[in-house]
Amino acid sequence: MSVCGLALVGKAGLLNAVFPVLCLGCAALLTRRPGSYVTFVLGVWIWAPAVRRVADWQSAYNPLSPVLLAPILATLACLAAPGQIVRGFRTMPALVIPIVALCVGVLTGFVNNSPASALYAGVTWMTPIFFAAYIAGCRDVTGRLEAKFLSSVTLMAFWAAIYGIFQFISPPIWDRFWMIGSQVLGIGLPAPFRVRVFGPLNSPVPFAAVMVAGLIAGFLDARKSRWLLLPCVFVALLLSLVRSEWLAVVVAFVAILVAAPARALQRSVRLGVMVLVLAVTTAPLLSYGPIATAVGLRLQSLHAGGQDASLRDRLTLYRNFELGPVLLGEGLGSTDAATRLSGGDARLDARRGNIDSALLHLVTGLGVPFAILFGSGLVWLLAGAARGAARSNMATAGLALAVAGLSQSPSYNVLISGPAVLMYAGFVVGARHREPLEHHLEDVRRGRREMAGMRRLLPRRGASEWS
């Protein structure tokens, strides 16, 4: 409401100061209601970049927009519930391993890079892990939190998809202003049917990651009404033109079929029905001239092989990558958006600022030994999610989210921002199958302690007094 109100009166520039504070305050209040808090955090991660573009449109383009701090602050608000964070780390000790590796990376970053860039990078890398620990530490024996999370993912993906489809047809003025000011390559032109859809997010890749998550969650949601939302999500995923995320869908659904052998036939039939529904409902829209042309050309590029420019650039990146210090790396803050804080011009570092690979980010920032340590934590988390995936559809969805995220590691840094929140949450949702029994036992122990305390408060009486 505040965003629309300030935009209508021409004061959207005030969002740079107001929006992060509002998000932090609301998130802190919601931490006592885990379902609402999780939904709120997902919404801020998805829509904050669009709020930033509105603010820039009515003020001036700012490469260091304070609005982009809002999702980080909202997610860090989980620290207002330290008991749940500690309990989450105890429940899933694998989450501690990446934190240890990242702490070393921050210390190295203070030495090799500016303190501001090292601190910012450390926060952005650790924030999704603390959020996952918060979810893991929530006491919920009914599975309502997991159901709320998956339902929120589907709904958030649907509304973002609606925005993305309209963005392709007629980009809003604030999106056009941002595309011109940011000069981001690879997102098309600020004109109808010339945009590579990025929706309310900052670029097509994280937008496509949200669409993939929406398809996974909607497919395994128990409510059949969720299937009505999937055609729009599917079309928006295609319009993002992110082929690696198209392949991530295949990887995720293979994981869904393999995770529970006893349900493989049932899920195969359900998957076939979903594919048929998507084909029937999206055919009219995908046959529309500009959409058919954009998606068709991208599909043809899958067969281009060595002639594909994007693939050649990615291979060149790996081929020409220069490894820094092997033991401790160059420290956090040496790659990605954190490099904007290293100099006084807010520009990305020409050498390390545009690395499109989580693997190269890890090796550069942490060094080989600690990158391996970080990776071992992810493998442990994945193993826990895989063990629980056969228990329920919700756990299977968690595993599929985690697998879809990890499959993008060679081509995108999925360890920060919104895709990281979805991936780490997927690890937890997939592994929480063990918690209902543990929580039940803990509740029984707590009840016994309370009964023992009540007995001590009762006055002692002789046997004759009770007769």
Side-chain angles (χ1 to χ4, degrees):
M1 294 296 291
S2 61
V3 175
C4 296
L6 290 174
L8 288 174
V9 299
K11 299 292 184 180
L14 295 175
L15 292 169
N16 288 313
V18 173
F19 190 72
V21 177
L22 286 177
C23 289
L24 176 60
C26 292
L29 293 174
L30 290 174
T31 52
R32 300 301 177 184
R33 300 167 57 189
S36 299
Y37 173 67
V38 167
T39 300
F40 180 78
V41 168
L42 291 176
V44 175
W45 273 110
I46 292 174
W47 289 97
V51 174
R52 173 263 181 98
R53 296 197 288 270
V54 173
D56 284 0
W57 166 54
Q58 291 193 351
S59 55
Y61 172 72
N62 184 1
L64 298 176
S65 175
V67 173
L68 296 183
L69 291 175
I72 299 174
L73 294 175
T75 312
L76 283 179
C78 66
L79 298 177
Q84 290 180 210
I85 299 292
V86 173
R87 188 161 56 245
F89 281 122
R90 288 178 178 174
T91 302
M92 298 186 66
L95 291 170
V96 178
I97 296 178
I99 292 291
V100 172
L102 292 174
C103 287
V104 175
V106 171
L107 294 176
T108 308
F110 275 122
V111 176
N112 295 333
N113 310 304
S114 71
S117 62
L119 182 61
Y120 174 80
V123 169
T124 55
W125 282 69
M126 294 183 190
T127 294
I129 304 176
F130 282 114
F131 181 70
Y134 170 87
I135 298 176
C138 290
R139 296 188 182 277
D140 178 19
V141 299
T142 63
R144 286 180 297 180
L145 178 58
E146 288 90 336
K148 182 71 171 179
F149 169 75
L150 295 178
S151 176
S152 299
V153 169
T154 307
L155 288 173
M156 294 291 179
F158 170 72
W159 290 115
I162 294 294
Y163 184 98
I165 292 172
F166 279 101
Q167 183 184 67
F168 180 77
I169 297 172
S170 179
I173 186 172
W174 47 84
D175 287 349
R176 299 199 301 268
F177 177 85
W178 177 79
M179 292 176 70
I180 295 171
S182 63
Q183 298 182 351
V184 176
L185 301 178
I187 59 174
L189 300 175
F193 308 114
R194 303 295 298 275
V195 177
R196 184 179 176 185
V197 169
F198 52 90
L201 288 101
N202 263 340
S203 69
V205 179
F207 173 76
V210 173
M211 297 301 102
V212 171
L215 288 174
I216 295 170
F219 173 72
L220 291 172
D221 198 303
R223 287 162 292 191
K224 301 298 187 293
S225 60
R226 290 292 180 262
W227 280 39
L228 299 176
L229 310 180
L230 297 187
C232 287
V233 176
F234 180 67
V235 171
L237 172 63
L238 293 179
L239 289 176
S240 71
L241 307 182
V242 183
R243 295 167 301 181
S244 60
E245 291 291 350
W246 297 353
L247 296 177
V249 174
V250 178
V251 173
F253 279 93
V254 169
I256 289 173
L257 297 178
V258 174
R263 304 181 187 181
L265 179 60
Q266 175 188 0
R267 289 180 176 174
S268 297
V269 173
R270 188 174 181 176
L271 179 60
V273 172
M274 189 185 81
V275 171
L276 180 61
V277 170
L278 291 177
V280 172
T281 54
T282 61
L285 189 58
L286 292 177
S287 62
Y288 179 63
I291 296 178
T293 300
V295 175
L297 290 175
R298 199 63 173 172
L299 285 171
Q300 292 175 11
S301 68
L302 288 172
H303 305 285
Q307 298 179 351
D308 180 32
S310 179
L311 179 60
R312 288 202 309 269
D313 292 342
R314 195 61 48 85
L315 294 176
T316 301
L317 172 66
Y318 277 91
R319 190 182 304 115
N320 298 335
F321 178 73
E322 297 178 2
L323 184 63
V326 175
L327 182 59
L328 296 177
E330 298 179 9
L332 294 183
S334 59
T335 61
D336 212 53
T339 59
R340 293 185 183 273
L341 302 175
S342 296
D345 54 3
R347 292 183 180 179
L348 290 173
D349 181 78
R351 188 170 62 99
R352 301 294 197 193
N354 290 304
I355 298 178
D356 290 331
S357 168
L359 303 179
L360 298 185
H361 277 283
L362 281 174
V363 174
T364 301
L366 304 180
V368 174
F370 287 97
I372 294 175
L373 177 65
F374 188 102
S376 67
L378 297 184
V379 171
W380 189 359
L381 289 169
L382 182 63
R387 286 195 299 270
R391 181 69 179 265
S392 67
N393 282 345
M394 290 185 291
T396 304
L399 174 65
L401 288 174
V403 170
L406 288 176
S407 69
Q408 301 305 298
S409 297
S411 59
Y412 179 70
N413 188 7
V414 296
L415 302 176
I416 60 174
S417 69
V421 169
L422 292 170
M423 184 185 71
Y424 282 110
F427 285 130
V428 175
V429 171
R432 272 174 60 97
H433 71 287
R434 296 188 298 271
E435 294 200 5
L437 177 59
E438 294 175 1
H439 285 172
H440 174 69
L441 294 176
E442 179 62 26
D443 291 339
V444 172
R445 298 189 193 101
R446 189 187 310 109
R448 289 176 178 174
R449 289 195 296 268
E450 292 174 355
M451 289 297 295
M454 293 177 63
R455 290 194 188 100
R456 285 194 295 270
L457 294 175
L458 290 174
R460 296 185 177 182
R461 302 181 179 181
S464 60
E465 296 182 63
W466 291 100
S467 59

